[in-house]
Amino acid sequence: MNFQSKLPDVSTTIFTVMSALAARHGAINLSQGYPNFEVDQHLKDLVNKYVQQGQNQYAPMTGVPVLRQAISRKKKLLYHVSVDPDDEITITNGATEAIYSAISAFISPGDEVIIFEPAYDSYIPSILVNGGRPISIRLKSPEFKINWNEVKDKITSRTKMIMINTPHNPTGSVLSDEDLLSLEKIVEDSDILILSDEVYQHLIYDGLEHQSILLYPELFRRSMVIMSFGKTFHATGWRIGYVVAPRSITSEIRKVHQYNTFSINRPLQHALAEYLEKPAHYLDLPKFYQQKRDLFSDAISSSKFELIPSLGTYFILAYYRKISDLSDQEFARWMTIEKGVAVIPISSFYSDDTDEHIIRFCFAKTDELLAEAAELINQVE
Ligand code: GLN
């Protein structure tokens, strides 16, 4: 068959590649981001309860009302905002579908979307497949801060959207109040939309507070805020996320969502709605993960890797320049096959050949597994 690929430069996502390599070689998998510990038994019991209760047919296209209401209450508690559960919240098949549906709803051929690199690997393909043009801005290591003057310079009459991500995957950097105010100033007289990927909203450390777009009414009116239960409740395999956006934006996103996935797993939505009633189920997360970040960082502090401080997410970056001259892709393979620890090469988050000899570790693992991994990492020279 003769056809032209719409995404000729896209290959299988690095997370799938590295997890498969880790499995094939029996390596400890600190590559793809997911916890190796269990979902709370209470949450599992709730799933069973709703399956037994007969919540097994299609959920409403927008998500089950009790879950949207629980999310709305949570936004009130955390960010002191009123979000309409009927018209401003849509449950999606994980954040990846939310990102795709949001981009697809608004990006037409020739539209420019400003993104920051390193960027999560689904962003660019989602823009390209809809005919959009990703406009990349580099975040410089090791701080990966946004230079807002550069953003201002990149805006043209074709700029349709700016995508931000805080806490940031893969760098672990977070946006401050100042950052959000700069963004607000830059877009104030424009029709530029903001897509804010906040899936790691609860994974933020050292007493920092998550700066959600929801805290900034002037930004929220032009935004879609994407969040996820996978990271929050250790259930990445459930694939349940959601988009919070003003009514007019939500209704456009739903036009795509309804023909993309139609609706999302019903019993799981009911279980999450009930589980959300106890805020401790998510408020304890910063402490829980900060302890893991510190345990892992301390355990490998005498290794030849140079760690870059992580303020959020369950990832931490490290330079390996004292160990090897290999490209980061080769180095990640070597670590997995020869050293028994799978990691993610950061060049996979760049659209060009940027390679700063940095790899990403995921520390969402039991303390025992982190200690075991650290022992192997400390032997790498
Ligand atoms: N978000 C996860 C990560 O960064 C991976 C998700 C996926 O595999 N699609 O590792």
Side-chain angles (χ1 to χ4, degrees):
M1 278 297 292
N2 244 333
F3 57 80
Q4 207 181 346
S5 170
K6 287 187 76 179
L7 297 169
D9 299 328
V10 170
S11 48
T12 303
T13 167
I14 190 69
F15 310 115
T16 297
V17 170
M18 292 312 301
S19 277
L21 195 68
R24 200 170 330 129
H25 294 276
I28 295 177
N29 190 358
L30 304 189
S31 65
Q32 188 180 26
Y34 64 87
N36 77 324
F37 35 86
E38 269 307 312
V39 169
D40 184 353
Q41 186 58 44
H42 176 48
L43 182 51
K44 290 189 192 175
D45 291 343
L46 287 172
V47 174
N48 193 31
K49 171 175 133 183
Y50 287 106
V51 168
Q52 297 304 334
Q53 203 188 77
Q55 299 285 359
N56 299 310
Q57 307 309 325
Y58 294 125
M61 176 275 277
T62 59
V64 301
V66 284
L67 180 56
R68 286 184 279 105
Q69 287 152 10
I71 291 169
S72 174
R73 280 194 298 275
K74 183 178 174 210
K75 299 308 157 204
K76 179 116 221 158
L77 178 77
L78 291 178
Y79 307 120
H80 319 291
V81 285
S82 294
V83 179
D84 184 333
D86 292 329
D87 295 331
E88 298 187 314
I89 298 173
T90 310
I91 311 298
T92 58
N93 185 24
T96 301
E97 190 249 319
I99 291 166
Y100 182 81
S101 292
I103 290 174
S104 190
F106 290 104
I107 300 306
S108 303
D111 285 343
E112 294 180 356
V113 182
I114 293 181
I115 58 160
F116 300 95
E117 293 192 40
Y120 186 60
D121 76 339
S122 88
Y123 295 177
I124 289 181
S126 302
I127 296 166
L128 290 176
V129 81
N130 285 290
R133 287 190 56 206
I135 306 295
S136 292
I137 292 177
R138 297 292 136 143
L139 304 178
K140 289 193 187 65
S141 68
E143 289 205 306
F144 300 101
K145 283 206 180 316
I146 295 178
N147 176 346
W148 292 102
N149 286 326
E150 218 177 322
V151 179
K152 219 192 276 173
D153 291 345
K154 291 269 169 142
I155 290 178
T156 71
S157 57
R158 312 211 74 157
T159 307
K160 189 73 172 270
M161 184 183 275
I162 299 176
M163 291 176 72
I164 58 171
N165 172 212
T166 184
H168 186 260
N169 181 8
T171 68
S173 64
V174 302
L175 294 182
S176 65
D177 173 50
E178 247 180 21
D179 287 312
L180 280 269
L181 292 174
S182 301
L183 175 61
E184 191 174 298
K185 191 120 203 67
I186 287 174
V187 295
E188 69 186 345
D189 294 318
S190 74
D191 287 325
I192 296 172
L193 296 160
I194 309 289
L195 188 157
S196 184
D197 174 353
E198 302 183 17
V199 300
Y200 297 99
Q201 63 173 324
H202 295 301
L203 279 62
I204 183 159
Y205 314 124
D206 304 329
L208 292 168
E209 284 193 12
H210 173 57
Q211 297 298 320
S212 174
I213 287 277
L214 294 167
L215 293 164
Y216 300 81
E218 274 308 303
L219 281 173
F220 180 63
R221 63 185 189 82
R222 59 174 75 246
S223 295
M224 41 220 105
V225 180
I226 292 170
M227 292 166 163
S228 148
F229 291 113
K231 280 81 183 166
T232 306
F233 296 138
H234 317 314
T236 60
W238 288 14
R239 311 301 301 126
I240 302 191
Y242 57 98
V243 196
V244 184
R247 179 193 305 242
S248 60
I249 293 178
T250 291
S251 78
E252 294 303 314
I253 294 173
R254 287 177 177 176
K255 289 179 191 173
V256 177
H257 165 74
Q258 68 181 341
Y259 296 125
N260 185 355
T261 60
F262 179 57
S263 73
I264 308 305
N265 187 309
R266 183 169 193 138
L268 294 185
Q269 288 192 63
H270 279 281
L272 287 167
E274 189 169 334
Y275 196 70
L276 275 175
E277 280 169 20
K278 261 218 190 108
H281 288 147
Y282 49 85
L283 293 178
D284 292 344
L285 274 180
K287 197 168 145 235
F288 174 78
Y289 273 119
Q290 183 171 325
Q291 179 269 335
K292 293 201 177 290
R293 179 199 65 174
D294 294 345
L295 181 129
F296 182 64
S297 309
D298 289 350
I300 64 169
S301 60
S302 56
S303 76
K304 288 185 120 181
F305 287 92
E306 298 162 80
L307 288 174
I308 297 176
S310 167
L311 302 173
T313 74
Y314 43 46
F315 304 117
I316 187 161
L317 298 185
Y319 294 103
Y320 62 84
R321 53 199 172 187
K322 285 194 188 152
I323 301 167
S324 164
D325 292 331
L326 288 175
S327 73
D328 67 354
Q329 299 284 337
E330 287 168 326
F331 185 77
R333 288 183 62 82
W334 177 78
M335 276 292 291
T336 309
I337 297 168
E338 305 294 335
K339 301 292 161 185
V341 180
V343 296
I344 294 287
I346 293 313
S347 62
S348 294
F349 296 77
Y350 287 97
S351 53
D352 60 11
D353 53 8
T354 299
D355 178 356
E356 293 193 85
H357 287 204
I358 300 174
I359 46 93
R360 187 192 81 177
F361 296 108
C362 171
F363 56 80
K365 307 293 166 190
T366 58
D367 293 357
E368 294 71 39
L369 193 70
L370 289 175
E372 219 180 294
E375 217 169 287
L376 296 174
I377 290 166
N378 286 333
Q379 288 164 24
V380 178
E381 353 190 74

